[in-house]
Amino acid sequence: MASKSKILSIGGTGYIGKFIVEASVKAGHPTFVLVRESTVSGPSKSQLLDHFKNLGVNFLVGDVLNHESLVKAIKQVDVVISTVGHTLIADQVKIIAAIKEAGNVKRFFPSEFGNDVDRVEGAVEPTKSTYDVKAKIRRAVEAEGIPYTRVESYCFDGYFLPNLLQPEATAPPRDKVVIFGDGNPKAVFNKEDDIGTYTIKAVDDPRTLNKNFYIQPPGNIYSFNDLVSLWERKIGKTLEKEYVSEEQLLKNIQEAAPPHNVILSIYHSAFVKGVQTNFKIEPSFGVEASQLYPDVKYTTVDEYLNQFV
C-alpha cells in the first residue's frame, strides 16, 4: 500500500475546513493546517486548535497573502486543500502561484464546496459575483496545468436544514412554511462530516483527478416540496404553505440587506433555478461520490431531520 498523501489545509479552521481536517486525520493522512500568527495567539479559535492538536494535526504558521510562508508550507506536503472563505476566494491566485513555485504538489482542491460554478445558469447577485470569481480560479488552475479536484458539495445540512429553508427562522416551521418558486426543482443536501469523508477519499484516487467531484447521494436529493412533505410526516401535521414567485423573490433579494440577500440569492439558484440537478454528470468532466465510494455510510436528510422533531 502506498503511503498516504501529506495534506495541507488552507482555511482549515473555517466552517467546512474543520470537518475536512478531521476527516484527513481520521483517514491516516499526515495533516497540516496553515494558521496565521494571530489565530495561534488569539482566543477565538483556541478550542478548535486544541482539538486539532489532540488529533495530531501539525500547524504551519503562514498566510495566504504571504508568498514566502505559503511556498514554505506547500513544499512540505503532497496535496493542498483550500477552504478559504468568500473574502479570500480571489486571493487563491496566490496559492496557485505558490504551488507553481513549490513544484511538488500532486493535487489541488480549490475552495468550491457549493454549486458547480460552470453550471449556474440564471444566478443573480450577490451570489453571481462569487460564482464568477470561483470560475476564474478554475480557469487559472487549468491554465497553469496544476492537477486538481473540485468538490461540489451543494447545501450544507447545518446551514439549510435546522430551519427547513426558512430564512431568519431558528427552528423548522410548525404552522406555516414559505416555499420559493413552485417548489419542484431538486437540490442536494449533505452533512458536513460526510463532505469531509468524501473529500479525503478523493485525495489519492486517480478517478477524481482533474474532475468535478459531485457529492450527490441518492438519499439526499430533495425538492422544496419533498422536504416539506417529509417534515410534515415527521411532525404528523399539515403546514399552511405560502409560495413566493420568482419575480417576488428577485424583488426581495434586491431589497434585502447582507447577509440576507446572499442567502436568498443562493435559494434562488438552488430551489428556483434548480442548478444543482439540472444537468447530467458526464464522465468527461465529473464523477459522483456515493457511486465511487458505496461503502461510506452517509447521513440522509431523513435521518438528519429527526433531531428537530
Side-chain angles (χ1 to χ4, degrees), residues 12-250:
T13 62
Y15 181 76
I16 197 63
K18 60 183 178 287
F19 293 98
I20 293 168
V21 169
E22 195 146 330
S24 175
V25 180
K26 282 182 178 161
H29 290 271
T31 305
F32 300 79
V33 175
L34 189 77
V35 283
R36 294 190 192 101
E37 189 68 71
S38 59
T39 307
V40 178
S41 53
S44 66
K45 304 268 184 180
S46 60
Q47 218 176 333
L48 180 63
L49 294 181
D50 286 345
H51 174 59
F52 281 174
K53 209 175 286 176
N54 293 336
L55 289 176
V57 172
N58 307 286
F59 300 123
L60 299 174
V61 174
D63 194 314
V64 170
L65 307 178
N66 180 322
H67 180 71
E68 210 175 313
S69 72
L70 259 189
V71 173
K72 194 177 161 197
I74 288 168
K75 280 188 168 167
Q76 300 180 53
V77 300
D78 309 302
V79 172
V80 177
I81 300 178
S82 169
T83 52
V84 297
H86 64 100
T87 55
L88 284 173
I89 296 286
D91 288 312
Q92 289 180 109
V93 291
K94 296 177 169 61
I95 301 174
I96 294 168
I99 287 173
K100 277 304 273 188
E101 185 175 319
N104 59 300
V105 168
K106 296 194 308 199
R107 190 100 54 113
F108 175 46
F109 288 64
S111 187
E112 294 252 344
F113 303 97
N115 297 331
D116 178 352
V117 296
D118 288 331
R119 294 170 179 83
V120 282
E121 214 65 31
V124 297
E125 294 298 355
T127 305
K128 184 183 181 299
S129 296
T130 305
Y131 293 157
D132 291 346
V133 177
K134 285 187 175 185
K136 276 190 186 133
I137 294 298
R138 286 184 170 198
R139 305 294 84 85
V141 171
E142 291 162 354
E144 292 292 359
I146 294 168
Y148 65 83
T149 299
R150 304 189 285 231
V151 180
E152 324 305 348
S153 58
Y154 306 111
C155 301
F156 300 152
D157 281 3
Y159 264 29
F160 291 85
L161 295 181
N163 61 3
L164 209 77
L165 311 175
Q166 303 300 290
E168 299 188 65
T170 53
R174 295 276 168 173
D175 299 301
K176 180 185 168 189
V177 64
V178 175
I179 296 170
F180 300 109
D182 62 11
N184 291 326
K186 292 193 183 289
V188 187
F189 302 84
N190 287 302
K191 191 168 185 232
E192 291 81 349
D193 317 58
D194 296 335
I195 294 169
T197 301
Y198 281 125
T199 298
I200 296 304
K201 279 196 168 286
V203 163
D204 287 326
D205 191 339
R207 298 172 297 176
T208 60
L209 181 62
N210 298 334
K211 291 277 194 277
N212 294 343
F213 179 63
Y214 298 95
I215 306 179
Q216 275 192 16
N220 288 350
I221 302 171
Y222 280 78
S223 71
F224 212 134
N225 289 330
D226 294 337
L227 208 52
V228 171
S229 300
L230 174 65
W231 179 244
E232 287 177 328
R233 287 199 300 279
K234 284 189 184 297
I235 60 171
K237 187 177 176 188
T238 302
L239 300 174
E240 182 196 333
K241 296 167 190 71
E242 181 194 328
Y243 286 86
V244 175
S245 69
E246 179 176 13
E247 191 184 359
Q248 182 59 49
L249 178 58
L250 291 172

Side-chain angles (χ1 to χ4, degrees), residues 267-307:
Y267 283 17
H268 174 263
S269 282
F271 306 110
V272 177
K273 290 302 183 192
V275 302
Q276 299 183 348
T277 56
N278 64 1
F279 61 92
K280 188 173 183 291
I281 300 170
E282 298 290 352
S284 59
F285 63 79
V287 288
E288 197 282 312
S290 67
Q291 288 178 4
L292 289 190
Y293 313 116
D295 55 311
V296 173
K297 171 76 186 81
Y298 65 89
T299 300
T300 64
V301 168
D302 191 337
E303 291 163 343
Y304 189 85
L305 285 176
N306 286 337
Q307 65 188 297

